[in-house]
Amino acid sequence: MNQRRFRILFLWFYALSLALWIVEEIYTLTNPPEIFDRYRLLIASFEALVSVSSFLAISILYNELKTEALENSNAKDLVLELKRNNRILKNPESEFWKEVKNQMEIWKLTDAEKEVAILLLRGFSHQQIAGVRQKSLRTIENQTASIYEKSSMRGKLEFISFFLTPLLPEED
């Protein structure tokens, strides 16, 4: 039995036990106390079962909410990625650099990091970027590391691929 089917079955069991618990409470309120005394152990056991299953139901619902939130977040990311790809593909010449700059704003890159990122996209090495920007190699390496961290990329190839992939035709 898969996990989703088990959860649904458990929630049905939980709803039924709550209904029985309400009936039991009405019964104990409308009958004389001696009837309640005879069935005290059975009633207490049933109430314990309902309380334990309440915690389980809350746990299941919480896990379902977390799963749905994660799926929702992934879907939003996918929609944003598809929109980005669509904007670039509509007019690759002019939209490409607009989209690159827009993505850099989303990543909250500093002006210096944006400059370095553009030079990386153009294929410059760290040494070339240091020469063009008249900065030390160590400064460029630090800025590059910051760019990769903010963009969640692992390196230059992944960074460049992020922007160029939408321009590539589909494989046959």
Side-chain angles (χ1 to χ4, degrees):
M1 183 180 330
N2 65 23
Q3 195 174 18
R4 184 158 179 77
R5 180 176 271 175
F6 172 75
R7 288 178 179 170
I8 291 171
L9 185 63
F10 176 77
L11 290 176
W12 274 106
F13 168 75
Y14 179 67
L16 179 65
S17 64
L18 280 179
L20 288 173
W21 182 51
I22 291 169
V23 168
E24 176 265 328
E25 287 297 322
I26 292 170
Y27 178 78
T28 56
L29 290 173
T30 57
N31 286 302
E34 62 272 358
I35 291 176
F36 177 73
D37 287 342
R38 279 189 240 155
Y39 300 106
R40 182 177 304 192
L41 182 60
L42 178 64
I43 292 170
S45 300
F46 183 71
E47 288 177 345
L49 175 68
V50 169
S51 64
V52 167
S53 60
S54 295
F55 285 113
L56 289 173
I58 289 170
S59 172
I60 288 172
L61 293 174
Y62 175 74
N63 286 334
E64 287 286 327
L65 283 174
K66 278 184 12 182
T67 302
E68 292 296 325
L70 181 62
E71 288 175 3
N72 191 18
S73 175
N74 290 341
K76 284 180 182 179
D77 291 344
L78 183 59
V79 166
L80 289 175
E81 178 70 17
L82 291 173
K83 284 182 179 179
R84 180 180 76 82
N85 291 350
N86 192 31
R87 283 192 302 269
I88 291 173
L89 290 173
K90 280 184 180 176
N91 191 356
E93 294 81 23
S94 65
E95 291 295 319
F96 179 77
W97 288 110
K98 285 181 193 174
E99 192 56 38
V100 166
K101 290 176 180 170
N102 181 42
Q103 188 61 52
M104 290 180 189
E105 290 294 327
I106 291 170
W107 289 332
K108 296 180 173 77
L109 298 183
T110 66
D111 290 338
E113 290 169 344
K114 289 176 189 174
E115 253 184 74
V116 171
I118 288 170
L119 293 172
L120 286 171
L121 285 172
R122 291 187 182 276
F124 283 56
S125 68
H126 287 162
Q127 292 82 2
Q128 291 170 323
I129 295 170
V132 168
R133 297 197 66 239
Q134 297 178 347
K135 300 289 180 184
S136 74
L137 181 59
R138 187 70 182 142
T139 299
I140 301 304
E141 288 171 348
N142 288 338
Q143 289 172 328
T144 304
S146 178
I147 291 166
Y148 297 153
E149 182 179 331
K150 289 178 180 180
S151 65
S152 300
M153 304 290 164
R154 291 183 300 240
K156 185 176 183 177
L157 290 176
E158 187 176 358
F159 182 75
I160 292 171
S161 174
F162 178 82
F163 292 103
L164 294 183
T165 300
L167 299 173
L168 299 174
E170 291 294 320
E171 294 179 27
D172 289 329

